[in-house]
Amino acid sequence: DGDILGSFIGMIAINNGELSQNFIIKRIPNLGTPLKVESVIVDEILSETESELILVTDNDGKPSEILRLRMAFNPEGKE
């Protein structure tokens, strides 16, 4: 354990049972202090490029938070 620097989330495609060598990773944005996300649930798949997620934090002694996040991504990995 140490300072909380923030959390990241990513996606790895699975094609024909094989993990893709390409992946997408993004920092989870937060306007306040960095988040320490412990759990991620895919709540709803909106399209091939957008999902609704539920995140649960562990704030090291402070109350945990439940957050809803909409994740949009480009399957080619382009910004």
Side-chain angles (χ1 to χ4, degrees), residues 14 24 54 58 62 76 78:
I14 301 174
I24 300 167
I54 297 174
D58 173 3
K62 299 175 187 169
E76 284 82 43
K78 298 175 186 171

Side-chain angles (χ1 to χ4, degrees), residues 4-9 26-29 34-38:
I4 298 171
L5 302 176
S7 293
F8 292 79
I9 194 165
K26 298 284 184 181
R27 186 174 185 156
I28 298 172
L35 295 173
K36 182 180 173 189
V37 174
E38 295 281 332

Side-chain angles (χ1 to χ4, degrees), residues 3-64:
D3 292 337
I4 298 171
L5 302 176
S7 293
F8 292 79
I9 194 165
M11 291 191 62
I12 302 172
I14 301 174
N15 298 313
N16 299 321
E18 299 290 324
L19 293 177
S20 171
Q21 295 299 312
N22 298 320
F23 57 89
I24 300 167
I25 188 167
K26 298 284 184 181
R27 186 174 185 156
I28 298 172
N30 188 40
L31 297 176
T33 59
L35 295 173
K36 182 180 173 189
V37 174
E38 295 281 332
S39 298
V40 177
I41 299 164
V42 177
D43 188 44
E44 185 176 355
I45 297 173
L46 303 172
S47 70
E48 288 187 18
T49 60
E50 196 169 41
S51 297
E52 288 276 344
L53 308 175
I54 297 174
L55 313 176
V56 179
T57 66
D58 173 3
N59 293 330
D60 288 345
K62 299 175 187 169
S64 294

